[in-house]
Amino acid sequence: MLPAPTICEVIEAALSAPRDYPSPERLRYLYAAARQVIQELTPVVAAQVEHAAPGPERASRERAVDEAEAVMGEGLSPSPLAASLTVSALGCALWGLHQFAGGEA
């Protein structure tokens, strides 16, 4: 059994989906993997928003949470191009949350 990918590996693969044009199985995997990590990180960053003083740092975290919640509402299209774009959007939202949750740059 292969080790689970790191968050950074999921982000990289998701962001490159429109360029790499992965198989439908790989798209479904990336979609599920990105959504799972987003679900884990969203409450972490939302808690930071609750405890942050008003200002740009709070606004950035709030925007990251809002973007993640918005993209989580998107289903995976049967169209490979549309699915790749959705997976890429999930990767972008995940990257934003990961940065605020203490992930590496």
Side-chain angles (χ1 to χ4, degrees):
M1 177 177 240
L2 296 173
T6 66
I7 292 173
C8 291
E9 289 169 337
V10 172
I11 292 169
E12 184 178 332
L15 289 175
S16 66
R19 180 190 68 227
D20 295 345
Y21 218 57
S23 69
E25 295 80 25
R26 179 76 173 154
L27 283 170
R28 284 191 296 275
Y29 171 79
L30 291 170
Y31 177 80
R35 288 178 59 87
Q36 178 181 345
V37 182
I38 287 171
Q39 289 173 335
E40 294 169 6
L41 295 183
T42 299
V44 173
V45 179
Q48 292 173 353
V49 170
E50 292 297 318
H51 296 98
E57 286 296 317
R58 179 186 177 135
S60 294
R61 284 171 169 78
E62 204 166 37
R63 188 170 31 260
V65 170
D66 290 346
E67 288 172 3
E69 289 173 346
V71 76
M72 288 290 282
E74 295 182 29
L76 194 61
S77 172
S79 160
L81 177 58
S84 293
L85 293 173
T86 297
V87 166
S88 182
L90 285 166
C92 186
L94 176 53
W95 181 80
L97 291 173
H98 183 59
Q99 297 303 304
F100 290 123
E104 354 178 302

